[in-house]
């Protein structure tokens, strides 16, 4: 079934190329409408649930802002304090109830597969806002929307993914979604944080792996935070933290029109001085999250 009314968005595998292209078009319309303060309240009278079992700033606030700008009201929680989860309620029971109160559910949870479980329980569309180290499909939408806006295309680009490729759900989603385009990939990570085999097996674009930070020749340098919270061994984190840092020096020899992206939050992967270079796109990228999420929400509720 094509992506649209009633669809869940759990993985980027739920979207075909035409779905991505359609969502970019819708996101563009949302962006224009927001700029003109002329957003149609197509979700008037609707209620959207926002269930964030894990910390979030941008994803939660842009999802809630998306819902509200489209005229919906938002219920939910950020952190489980004050909810019955503290009393031992299961995820399935929580979702089953919320499903009755809301027309769509944004959910972030620390466990891989949690969003899929929620989608099985809920009749309302579930939008995965990150399930452990697995998937983060709305982030990928805004990432691709940002790239498309910048270059007018995605095909033909060289994209370098840098940092924690093992635990980073944003790069897992992005690398797989890029199967819909013909691009070249470079993976830069410490040997212990390489892109997992199960993702690599699914990647159809040519890729090379390297431990050396080099952004020369690429069009997009996509930087990620080392996902401290996913490490089982704190010593392991200590060994790899801070190994890659984008500084003005690293950018010497980069293509003139290269852009640096980062899903944020950054810790120390990109030095502050880079923010004022023409390469920095991470704050615009975060802004695009609003438009991408408006597009998704309208599509899954109204079709
Ligand atoms: C990312 C996430 O939660 O996976 N953040 C985000 O949604 N913008 C990246 C991260 O936390 O490092």
């Amino acid at each position: 079934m094509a992506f649209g009314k009633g669809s869940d968005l759990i993985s980027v595998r739920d979207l075909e190329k035409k779905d991505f292209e359609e969502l970019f078009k819708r996101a563009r319309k949302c962006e224009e409408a927001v700029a003109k303060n002329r957003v149609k309240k197509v979700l008037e009278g609707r209620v959207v649930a926002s269930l964030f079992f894990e910390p979030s700033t941008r994803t939660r606030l842009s999802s809630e802002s998306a819902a509200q700008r489209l005229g919906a009201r938002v219920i939910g929680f950020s952190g489980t304090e004050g909810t019955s989860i503290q009393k031992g309620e299961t995820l399935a029971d929580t979702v089953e109830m919320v499903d009755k109160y809301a027309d769509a559910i944004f959910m972030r949870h620390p466990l891989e597969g949690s969003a899929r479980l929620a989608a099985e329980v809920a009749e309302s569309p579930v939008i995965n806002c990150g399930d452990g180290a697995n998937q983060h499909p709305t982030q990928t939408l805004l990432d691709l929307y940002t790239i498309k806006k910048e270059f007018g295309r995605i095909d033909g680009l060289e994209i370098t993914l840098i940092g924690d490729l093992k635990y980073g759900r944003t790069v897992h989603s992005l690398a797989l979604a890029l199967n819909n385009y013909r691009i070249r990939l470079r993976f830069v990570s410490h040997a212990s944080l390489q892109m997992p085999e199960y993702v690599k097996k699914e990647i159809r674009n040519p890729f090379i792996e390297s431990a050396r930070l080099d952004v020369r020749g690429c069009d997009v340098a996509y930087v990620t935070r080392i996902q401290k919270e996913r490490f089982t061994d704190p010593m392991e984190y200590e060994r790899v933290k801070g190994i890659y840092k984008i500084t003005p020096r690293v950018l010497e020899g980069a293509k003139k029109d290269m852009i640096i992206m980062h899903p944020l939050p950054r810790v120390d992967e990109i030095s502050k001085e880079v923010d004022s270079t023409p390469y920095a796109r991470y704050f615009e990228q975060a802004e695009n999250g609003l438009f991408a999420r408006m597009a998704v929400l309208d599509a899954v509720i109204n079709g």
Side-chain angles (χ1 to χ4, degrees), residues 58-59 108 136 139 169-170 225 227 263-265:
R58 277 149 291 269
T59 306
R108 168 173 289 186
H136 196 348
Q139 178 70 43
R169 53 193 171 202
T170 64
R225 173 181 69 89
Q227 307 281 294
L264 302 178

Side-chain angles (χ1 to χ4, degrees), residues 223-285:
V223 186
T224 61
R225 173 181 69 89
I226 308 288
Q227 307 281 294
K228 183 178 183 185
E229 66 275 33
R230 311 256 180 254
F231 283 68
T232 39
D233 176 1
M235 287 308 292
E236 186 61 24
Y237 173 73
E238 290 303 317
R239 263 198 294 278
V240 294
K241 74 169 189 202
I243 54 168
Y244 297 115
K245 185 165 184 152
I246 307 285
T247 59
R249 253 205 65 204
V250 172
L251 300 173
E252 284 168 18
K255 277 188 169 178
K256 283 237 155 359
D257 60 352
M258 180 191 78
I259 59 168
I260 301 170
M261 296 175 64
H262 190 308
L264 302 178
R266 74 171 144 186
V267 182
D268 55 4
E269 313 80 48
I270 303 178
S271 75
K272 195 87 186 98
E273 302 118 273
V274 173
D275 297 1
S276 54
T277 69
Y279 303 110
R281 270 320 163 279
Y282 24 96
F283 294 115
E284 284 95 328
Q285 181 187 354

Side-chain angles (χ1 to χ4, degrees), residues 54-68:
E54 221 188 30
S56 172
T57 302
R58 277 149 291 269
T59 306
R60 182 172 70 84
L61 295 182
S62 65
S63 298
E64 295 183 0
S65 175
Q68 297 196 16

